Amino acid sequence: MASIAEANSLFEIDMELDGLLEEIEGQVESDGQASEDLVARFQQFCEAHGEKVDRIGRFVRIMEAREQYCRSEAVRLSDRAAPQPPGGPNKNMVLYHLLSGSQEDRSYWFTLRVQKNGQDSVRITDEAAVPNPIAGLMRD
């Protein structure tokens, strides 16, 4: 049975079943019953047909599951790649640092502080020390 299912396509098995069924009907009309060999061969092809259909059904279910997984991954990755709000995670980390410690952090180039009204503030104390990104590109 397994060799029949492996050696023939579903269409070939179906055509063979049609031919065997016609032979069985012809024998029943002429002799009153079909030969045991013909009925056994018909049974083998019926089992092979069922096996092929089961394989196709499993394949279709696997492909549907794969499609669903790919769609969920596409949604997950597109959400991950969506543009972040201005400041994004860096801004949140700085605010967390400021809120967990002192309300103000000063350095030579900038001052960060948390204001009571909720507005964020960055003040540059030495504007000449801020690098010019365009000039850096022209040097390369």
Side-chain angles (χ1 to χ4, degrees):
M1 177 191 65
S3 63
I4 294 173
E6 291 173 5
N8 298 303
S9 71
L10 184 62
F11 298 115
E12 292 170 337
I13 292 172
D14 193 41
M15 288 180 355
E16 184 68 25
L17 282 172
D18 287 342
L20 288 172
L21 190 59
E22 287 177 8
E23 284 183 48
I24 290 172
E25 287 174 350
Q27 281 187 0
V28 167
E29 286 178 5
S30 65
D31 300 338
Q33 69 178 33
S35 69
E36 290 181 20
D37 292 339
L38 200 56
V39 172
R41 186 166 166 80
F42 182 76
Q43 284 293 341
Q44 286 178 338
F45 272 90
C46 283
E47 290 171 6
H49 186 271
E51 184 180 332
K52 276 285 196 193
V53 169
D54 289 344
R55 284 184 189 173
I56 292 169
R58 282 192 300 270
F59 176 77
V60 168
R61 283 193 302 276
I62 289 169
M63 289 299 111
E64 287 172 347
R66 186 174 289 173
E67 176 192 15
Q68 185 178 4
Y69 172 77
C70 289
R71 286 180 192 237
S72 67
E73 280 297 295
V75 168
R76 183 183 69 82
L77 292 174
S78 67
D79 288 346
R80 185 175 168 194
Q84 299 292 326
N90 293 338
K91 175 182 165 185
N92 293 336
M93 286 189 339
V94 169
L95 288 175
Y96 175 78
H97 168 71
L98 292 174
L99 291 173
S100 65
S102 67
Q103 292 292 309
E104 191 171 291
D105 196 7
R106 292 182 182 268
S107 87
Y108 183 74
W109 293 285
F110 60 85
T111 299
L112 294 174
R113 68 180 176 165
V114 179
Q115 297 179 346
K116 295 199 185 288
N117 63 5
Q119 293 179 350
D120 303 326
S121 155
V122 175
R123 293 194 182 149
I124 299 172
T125 55
D126 186 4
E127 197 164 327
V130 176
N132 186 352
I134 297 173
L137 291 174
M138 296 179 115
R139 273 187 257 143
D140 295 336

